[in-house]
Every structure is written in C-alpha cells, then in structure tokens.
C-alpha cells in the first residue's frame, strides 16, 4: 500500500515540475468554453441548454490531450523495465497510474468547471448536476485513456493513436454523462443516468489495471 | 545487509535457452549453471544477444528452454522470483526533474529497501554532496553511477548487469569491480554482459560465456 502511494506521489511531483502540460490542458478546456458562445451566438437560453454537452465534450477532449505523456517517459528512460522487479505488481502500479492520471488531468478540469458555467449562463442546479456527473464519469475516462496510452506506448507519435483508440469506448460515458447533467429537473431520470455513470466508472477502474499491465508487459518485448 | 543476503542464498541454472524476436533467432542453445558466489561474464560481438539473454533472465522477454532460480534460504520460498533480481540496463531509469536523493528514495521504496543509507551509497559512488542536485544535470558517467546505486538500495541475490562499466572512468571501473567482488563474497550471483575486462580479486569464481558462437 505504501509503495502504491509512493507511485502516485512521484507522478504528482513530476507533474508539478512539468507544470506546463497540465496548464496547457486546462487552458484548452477553458478555451472551448470561450469559443462556444462565439460560435453559437449570445443567446443565453441556447447556451444554457447546450452547456452540459459542451462541458462534457471539452472535458473529454482535454483529457485525451494529456494521454501521450502518461507512460511514454517511463518507457523511454527504463523506469517501466525496472518496475518489473519492484516489490509491488505491475497491476498495482497501473492502478496507481490511473489515480495519478485522474488527479493530474481530470481534477483540475472539474475545479475549472465553475468558470465555464459562468461563461455558458448555467443555472445552479444544472451546474451541480454537471459537476456531479463529471466527478462520477471522469474516472472511467482516465481508466480508458490509460489503457489507450499503454497500448500505444511503443509507437512513435503514439500521442494521437491513444485518443483515436479510446474515443469510441468513451461514447457511453458521454451519453450517460450528458443525460445525467441535463435531467437535473426530473430527479428520476437524472439518478438512473448517474447510477449508470458510476457503474461504468467502477467497472472501468476495476478492470483497466489488468489490461494496462498486460499492455505494458507486451511493450517491453 | 550482508546477513540479509546470506539468508537469500540461491543458485541458477539455464538449460538450452533460446530467444526469438520477430521470428528472428537471437540466440539458442545457451546453457549454464551458477551456484552462490559465482559470476558469469557474457561476451560476444555487438548483436550476439547479450542484452536479450539478460532480458530473458530478468523475466521480460519470452524464451524457450528452461531457466530456474533455486532458493536455499529459510523463509524465502514465498519471495516472488522478480524480487530476487536487480537488473541494471542501458536505460538508467532516472528522472531528470528530480534530485539524486529523490530518485534513489523512489527506488528504495519500490525495492522494499533501506532509505536511510542513501547518502552513504551516493558517497561510495563518488556522488557525495550531490543529494539535492537535479539528476538531469549529471554527466552520462555520473548518471550511470546513480543507476548502479540501485544495486545497493536493497539486498537481492541475483544481479543482471548490462555493460556495467561502459561509461565509467578508471576509478569507476574499480568501484564496479569492488561492488561485484563484495556481492560474490556475500554469496550473491552476477551475470554481466561486458566488453571490457573487469578485474576481480578472486578470478576462480568467474565463468565466461561467449555468445554468437553457435548461431
């Protein structure tokens, strides 16, 4: 367990040292919120109606942006190779990587969501539903993204392959995420979409570490 | 550390090992056996499969044939094979953004090792006083020394070394041969790929295997 936390701690430490990457991603996320009103027009009602979908698309695209650096550095400098002989399994390390990936890429976006909510004229209940849906759904995005990143770790310019690989798999998350955020008025449908979103996240986070460690082992061959 | 290693006594044997990469045979019919306190030096031209053999022994590459690590010590039957091995390859597994100390602390925790002796280990590697220096600013030879420091973080019986002296100066050569000698004296086993001769105190305990001869 200690070694598990150490892996997360080191990833966070490295992310802070290379702060530019997280910042770029955050600015990308916010810029989508800025350009949408320009593209759609200043109609408050339309923007507010579309807001949950816009925020979800922005979150999806900007989490994909951070995928290329998830495993590539560790693969190139031999860290992954040496972790084969660590006292914790590659599967546990993969689980730790999902958590650190979520903390580095998804959490800053969720924290920046109020900014987008203001720009898109969201109402408070709608905003709260969106942020709950993001909290429930982004772990699945992080887990799927990590699988894509692990599969494409040996490819040159793999940064673009991982997003294309996982985009189709992310569609259910998008569907339930947007409907959970949209149906804040009718509590019934909202809660069932939320439950589905939570279930997808739990399943993805539970199974992804096995897929990731398998992909990383294959990458060393 | 010494006592700890003595209790982890092992012997290794390889029988008829072969390795393919992309259907291309890298090596075949490699057999050897080593008992506690013995070293095997792999020699051979570039591309003869020395690194691949080390990766096979480290459990990274798939192989044909039989490779076995026998454990003799008490209470160690349940230690997984991967935790009996230290592998130091060409890639040094160093994060340039972190300090020397932070780099070694991470590996100490990954290898279940001892963090308190990091300063002494750095001193032995002639990296003394650089604890809080960024690893990215080290020279190639110094990075290699830092990478070799991982061997000392936790006692493990089997060391797999790929070109341990390739970028080192003459003092570094002496340091590596001292490391190897003391590991062998503590009943450890070393398999190293090397072009340069490593002078050891006790030459009787070393074997050598020339790769690429039976291709």
């Amino acid at each position: 367990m200690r070694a598990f936390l150490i892996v997360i701690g080191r990833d966070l430490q490295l992310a802070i040292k290379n702060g530019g990457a997280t910042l770029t991603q955050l600015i990308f996320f916010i810029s989508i919120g800025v350009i949408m009103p320009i593209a759609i027009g200043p109609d408050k009602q339309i923007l507010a109606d579309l807001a949950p979908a816009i925020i979800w698309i922005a979150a999806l695209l900007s989490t994909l942006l951070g995928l290329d650096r998830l495993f590539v550095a560790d693969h190139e400098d031999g860290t992954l190779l040496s972790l084969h002989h660590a006292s914790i399994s590659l599967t546990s390390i993969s689980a730790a990587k999902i958590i650190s990936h979520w903390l580095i890429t998804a959490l800053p976006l969720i924290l920046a969501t109020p900014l987008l909510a203001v720009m898109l004229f969201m109402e408070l209940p709608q905003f709260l539903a969106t942020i709950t849906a993001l909290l429930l759904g982004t772990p699945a995005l992080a887990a799927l993204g990590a699988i894509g990143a692990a599969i494409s770790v040996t490819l040159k310019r793999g940064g673009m392959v991982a997003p294309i690989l996982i985009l189709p798999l992310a569609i259910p998350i998008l569907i339930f995420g947007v409907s959970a955020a949209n149906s804040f008025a009718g509590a019934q449908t909202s809660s069932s979409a939320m439950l589905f979103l939570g279930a997808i996240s739990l399943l993805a986070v539970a199974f992804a570490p096995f897929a990731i460690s398998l992909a990383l082992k294959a990458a060393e061959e | 550390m010494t006592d700890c290693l003595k209790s982890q006594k092992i012997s290794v044997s390889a029988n008829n090992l072969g390795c393919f990469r992309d259907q291309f045979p890298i090596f075949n019919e490699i057999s050897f056996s080593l008992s506690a306190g013995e070293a095997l030096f792999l020699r051979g031209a570039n591309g003869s499969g020395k690194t691949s053999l080390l990766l096979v022994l480290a459990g990274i590459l798939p192989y044909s044939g039989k490779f076995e690590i026998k454990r003799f010590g008490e209470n160690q039957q349940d230690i997984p094979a991967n935790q009996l091995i230290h592998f130091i390859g060409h890639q040094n597994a160093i994060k340039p953004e972190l300090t020397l100390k932070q780099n070694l602390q991470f590996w100490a925790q990954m290898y279940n090792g001892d963090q308190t002796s990091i300063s002494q280990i750095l001193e032995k590697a002639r990296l003394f006083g650089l604890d809080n220096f960024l690893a990215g600013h080290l020279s190639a030879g110094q990075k290699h020394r830092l990478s070799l420091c991982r061997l000392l973080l936790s006692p493990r019986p089997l060391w797999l070394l790929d070109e341990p002296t390739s970028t080192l100066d003459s003092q570094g050569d002496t340091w590596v041969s001292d490391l190897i000698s003391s590991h062998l004296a503590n009943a450890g086993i070393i398999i190293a790929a090397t072009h340069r001769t490593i002078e050891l105190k006790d030459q009787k305990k070393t074997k050598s295997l020339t790769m690429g001869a039976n291709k």
Side-chain angles (χ1 to χ4, degrees), chain B residues 108-129:
Chain B
Q109 279 151 334
M110 286 300 112
Y111 291 153
N112 237 344
D114 174 22
Q115 283 188 66
T116 52
S117 57
I118 284 176
S119 292
Q120 284 132 283
I121 292 174
L122 285 173
E123 193 176 343
K124 280 183 206 154
R126 283 223 178 163
L127 297 166
F128 180 62

Side-chain angles (χ1 to χ4, degrees), chain A residues 106-208:
Chain A
L107 192 61
L109 303 187
I110 295 174
L111 294 178
T113 306
L115 207 62
L116 260 68
V118 172
M119 288 189 282
L120 299 169
F121 306 103
M122 283 175 100
E123 300 285 337
L124 187 64
Q126 192 189 19
F127 165 67
L128 290 178
T130 306
I131 224 161
T132 317
L134 279 175
L135 280 170
L136 281 174
T138 44
L141 284 184
L144 290 177
I147 295 177
I151 291 172
S152 61
V153 70
T154 51
L155 304 176
K156 303 278 173 221
R157 314 231 175 280
M160 277 321 290
V161 176
I164 290 168
L165 267 180
I166 72 139
L167 211 52
L169 299 173
I171 288 173
I173 304 167
L174 204 61
I175 294 172
F176 288 113
V178 174
S179 69
N182 254 334
S183 46
F184 57 95
Q188 197 65 46
T189 45
S190 162
S191 70
S192 67
M194 289 281 187
L195 288 176
F196 263 110
L197 206 56
I200 293 173
S201 272
L202 284 175
L203 273 177
V205 173
F207 287 112

Side-chain angles (χ1 to χ4, degrees), chain B residues 88 104 118 120-127 141-153 159 161 164-165 167-183 190 198-201:
Chain B
I88 306 288
L104 288 186
I118 284 176
Q120 284 132 283
I121 292 174
L122 285 173
E123 193 176 343
K124 280 183 206 154
R126 283 223 178 163
L127 297 166
Q142 284 178 313
K143 277 183 187 156
H144 190 66
R145 282 165 187 260
L146 182 59
S147 168
L148 286 166
C149 284
R150 299 210 312 265
L151 294 169
L152 300 172
L153 290 173
W159 288 5
L161 310 174
T165 57
T167 52
L168 298 181
D169 55 21
S170 59
Q171 188 277 334
D173 281 1
T174 323
W175 177 54
V176 169
S177 68
D178 286 350
L179 277 182
I180 292 179
S181 297
S182 71
H183 186 62
I190 288 171
I198 297 175
E199 298 290 338
L200 293 184
K201 285 171 195 151

